[in-house]
């Protein structure tokens, strides 16, 4: 599958690295939205046995937002279709069959913030900057994405003021951002992806679909849906293998929260 604004590379461990590659600041235009939707809707068409995706970017910045020159050509006549393309791209990331870990450096502004917010996990350099400059250019749309990983008071502060926060500041304000301790978000994101890739692939994919659904459910409905998925997974061999490894303590990769695992948090 050929892309002009994205780059892909698969590791032997089943991790697919996807890079935004539309220099100089990876501004997103309609062809790029289409490529994002195509790739994340069906990552298995890109490579086989994909178990996790790391979403990073070329250049000095993760994503500077929309291509404003193209955005200025939007009218009431073409706006509906364009906004549909934008939604499809974001939803393709958030509903991807496997977990997606964002590795953010430089700036993630507007659409860039929404792309990161559509991922399951965000890892960022300490000085990476997140922002919603939407009111300054007369648009809306990113607040809901920011609300996936930041408290409402922070969302409103960033939305109404256009103020940018570094990853360190956002984390201190309660944002669910992992600040890469060594300043290198890409390596840290790959370590998380490798940990996910070591799990039962069936369990991860079913679990991803479950979390995508229960995010919008109440507690009772969500828990019942999750229990039903547990019954479904009982029929898959790799899920049984994960349970056996946990019970017999054979493989620490399957024991991320077990006290016998050296990675168990103190």
């Amino acid at each position: 599958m050929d892309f002009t604004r994205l780059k892909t590379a698969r590791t032997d461990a089943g991790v697919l690295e996807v890079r935004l590659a539309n220099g100089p600041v990876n501004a997103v235009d309609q062809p790029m939205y289409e490529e994002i939707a195509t790739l994340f809707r069906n990552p298995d068409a890109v490579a086989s046995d994909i178990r996790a995706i790391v979403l990073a970017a070329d250049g000095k910045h993760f994503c500077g937002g929309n291509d404003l020159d193209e955005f200025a050509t939007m009218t009431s006549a073409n706006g509906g279709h364009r906004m549909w393309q934008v939604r499809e791209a974001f939803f393709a990331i958030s509903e991807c069959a496997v977990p997606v870990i964002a590795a953010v450096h430089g700036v993630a502004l507007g659409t860039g913030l929404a792309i990161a917010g559509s991922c399951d996990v965000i890892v960022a350099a300490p000085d990476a900057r997140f922002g919603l400059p939407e009111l300054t250019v007369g648009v809306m749309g990113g607040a809901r994405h920011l609300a996936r990983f930041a408290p409402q008071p922070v969302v409103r502060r960033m939305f109404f003021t256009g103020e940018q926060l570094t990853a360190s500041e956002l984390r201190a304000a309660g944002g669910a951002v992992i600040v890469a301790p060594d300043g290198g978000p890409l390596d840290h994101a790959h370590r998380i992806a490798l940990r996910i890739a070591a799990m039962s692939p069936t369990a991860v994919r079913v679990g991803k679909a479950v979390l995508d659904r229960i995010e919008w459910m109440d507690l009772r409905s969500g828990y019942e849906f999750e229990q039903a998925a547990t019954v479904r997974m009982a029929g898959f061999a790799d899920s049984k293998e994960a349970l056996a490894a946990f019970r017999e303590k054979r493989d620490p990769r399957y024991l991320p929260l077990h006290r016998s695992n050296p990675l168990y948090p103190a």
Side-chain angles (χ1 to χ4, degrees), residues 146-147 150-161 163 165 173:
L146 179 57
Q152 267 296 320
V154 176
V155 173
R156 290 171 180 266
R157 166 188 168 189
M158 293 177 67
F159 178 78
F160 286 120
T161 67
E163 178 185 5
L165 296 184

Side-chain angles (χ1 to χ4, degrees), residues 132-195:
L132 285 178
E134 298 181 330
L135 292 187
T136 64
V137 294
V139 300
M140 294 180 63
R144 184 63 189 90
H145 296 281
L146 179 57
R148 294 192 77 205
F149 64 98
Q152 267 296 320
V154 176
V155 173
R156 290 171 180 266
R157 166 188 168 189
M158 293 177 67
F159 178 78
F160 286 120
T161 67
E163 178 185 5
Q164 298 177 17
L165 296 184
T166 66
S168 296
E169 292 169 337
L170 188 57
R171 180 70 186 88
V177 176
I178 298 173
V179 179
D182 56 359
L186 185 59
D187 288 344
H188 197 86
H190 271 282
R191 286 195 290 272
I192 294 173
L194 288 172
R195 184 166 176 171

Side-chain angles (χ1 to χ4, degrees), residues 1-55:
M1 187 174 295
D2 295 325
F3 298 102
T4 62
R5 288 161 170 77
L6 302 175
K7 294 179 181 177
T8 63
R10 183 192 178 281
T11 71
D12 292 337
V15 176
L16 179 67
E17 182 179 300
V18 178
R19 286 180 172 266
L20 308 178
N22 191 32
V25 296
N26 297 312
V28 185
D29 55 14
Q30 294 303 303
M32 192 169 179
Y33 279 121
E34 292 175 6
E35 290 190 8
I36 291 171
T38 298
L39 188 153
F40 285 94
R41 284 289 183 212
N42 188 14
D44 298 312
V46 178
S48 61
D49 192 27
I50 298 302
R51 301 186 175 203
I53 295 176
V54 171
L55 178 55

